Amino acid sequence: MTWADAGLVSGEAVELDVRAARLGSRVLALLIDLVAQLMAALLLGVVLMVVLLSLPGDIVDGALFGASQTVLLILVLVGYPVLMERFAGGRTLGKLAVGLRVVRADGGPVGVGQSLTRALVGVAVEWPGLVLPLLSWVASVTVMLSDPRGRRLGDLVAGTLVVHTRGAGIWRPAPPVVPPLLGWAGTLDLTWLDDGLALAVRQYLGRMHQLAEPDRTRLGRELWAEVSAVTSPPPPWAAPAPAYLAAVLAERGRRAAYRLGRTRLVTATLWPELTPPPLAIPAPLVVPAPPPAMPAPPAATLRPAAPAPPALWPAAPVPSTRQPAAPARADAPDR
């Protein structure tokens, strides 16, 4: 077990990459919790004084005042961590700020009974240490420094553990593939490259910036020796081991993505009802262009009059208004 390993194992017998909290981070979380407890004590003290002043004078005496202070002290020192760990997933305000969390020794969520046990032991022999304060403080620090997982007395009694909820460093992506190695990577036989070795290569490429020389170069060469033993053909030219490992890992991911795409295509063809519908991507908002102006109608032209249809019957004679001339008389003298 290493110093930064919490030693937690999942139900599938897989060791979890979780760091145990040590003395420095836990003291910082304790200081933040002390400030929060002090503010809670002041607020509850004001509420308590208002309640006591509102009671009749013959009821409030020294015994009631002392009992109220004891209850206030218990709420602040014991109730605060128990309630916070119950409703905040094993974290107090200080642990939330530092990135810590209380869990069971097997990695499960902490229970109310375990939180209460931790708080009672902490108040009695750790902080503020009602039983032999100075001696209990020295014993508590000694236990935390000597325990492989940095547990204090309350953790040992309650069967709990404080772990980090944030990673130790930034996970960086794998380095890009060198262009001259792209053609060679496409001809690799990756049949015997198993998932465990590929995961080890991925973790090395993601965390090699955290390793110091010469360990970084030595580990890269060892991984490349293992990878080259199960792949063929050999690389065409000499390059650093991280470049070879990145090319092999990228080609393995490309082939896996291709196989996954073909499998999904076959599944969508045979069982279309099992294939989720594609996500509807909303079309961008486009302001419609104004409609083109209608052309002006042509000017109206006079059509020629249609010829009159021929008459089917003869037209009736129109009566004349002129008087007919009188016939000439034979005996009228010539003029």
Side-chain angles (χ1 to χ4, degrees):
M1 180 182 302
T2 61
W3 180 257
D5 186 10
L8 299 180
V9 180
S10 66
E12 292 79 13
V14 177
E15 187 175 1
L16 303 178
D17 187 11
V18 179
R19 295 186 302 136
R22 302 298 169 180
L23 180 62
S25 58
R26 297 188 65 170
V27 169
L28 180 58
L30 177 61
L31 294 177
I32 298 176
D33 286 331
L34 289 179
V35 175
Q37 287 175 319
L38 179 60
M39 296 178 62
L42 294 176
L43 180 60
L44 292 178
V46 172
V47 174
L48 179 61
M49 291 300 298
V50 172
V51 172
L52 292 178
L53 292 177
S54 62
L55 296 177
D58 54 349
I59 297 179
V60 179
D61 54 2
L64 180 59
F65 188 75
S68 302
Q69 288 183 333
T70 303
V71 172
L72 176 63
L73 188 63
I74 294 175
L75 288 177
V76 172
L77 295 180
V78 179
Y80 167 78
V82 173
L83 293 177
M84 287 295 299
E85 292 176 5
R86 171 64 180 84
F87 295 103
R91 289 165 291 189
T92 59
L93 294 179
K95 292 181 175 63
L96 281 171
V98 180
L100 305 180
R101 181 179 181 181
V102 181
V103 296
R104 296 201 309 258
D106 57 355
V110 65
V112 179
Q114 293 172 321
S115 298
L116 182 60
T117 303
R118 293 181 74 254
L120 292 177
V121 173
V123 171
V125 297
E126 291 177 334
W127 179 263
L130 303 180
V131 179
L132 300 176
L134 295 179
L135 182 61
S136 62
W137 294 349
V138 174
S140 178
V141 173
T142 303
V143 169
M144 291 184 65
L145 293 177
S146 60
D147 188 79
R149 294 190 285 183
R151 294 177 294 178
R152 61 179 178 87
L153 293 175
D155 293 322
L156 295 175
V157 175
T160 57
L161 175 67
V162 180
V163 297
H164 285 273
T165 58
R166 303 169 186 169
I170 300 175
W171 179 269
R172 297 185 179 180
V177 183
V178 181
L181 295 177
L182 289 176
W184 164 76
T187 62
L188 283 174
D189 181 11
L190 304 177
T191 306
W192 303 104
L193 182 60
D194 57 0
D195 296 339
L197 183 55
L199 179 61
V201 172
R202 179 65 185 88
Q203 291 179 344
Y204 168 74
L205 294 177
R207 299 179 178 178
M208 66 179 183
H209 63 281
Q210 301 176 357
L211 304 177
E213 295 291 351
D215 295 334
R216 177 169 55 189
T217 302
R218 178 183 56 81
L219 182 58
R221 290 176 179 175
E222 292 177 358
L223 286 174
W224 170 238
E226 296 182 18
V227 172
S228 60
V230 295
T231 58
S232 62
W237 54 283
Y244 290 134
L245 296 176
V248 173
L249 192 65
E251 179 63 22
R252 188 175 187 271
R254 186 190 66 82
R255 297 182 185 181
Y258 176 74
R259 290 193 300 268
L260 180 60
R262 294 190 59 181
T263 303
R264 289 181 176 178
L265 181 61
V266 173
T267 303
T269 304
L270 298 178
W271 298 284
E273 62 275 3
L274 299 180
T275 305
L279 296 177
I281 301 177
L285 180 61
V286 178
V287 179
M294 298 297 294
T301 57
L302 298 177
R303 298 178 57 189
L312 297 180
W313 301 97
V318 179
S320 178
T321 59
R322 296 179 59 185
Q323 295 293 331
R329 297 175 59 181
D331 55 352
D334 294 335
R335 293 181 182 179

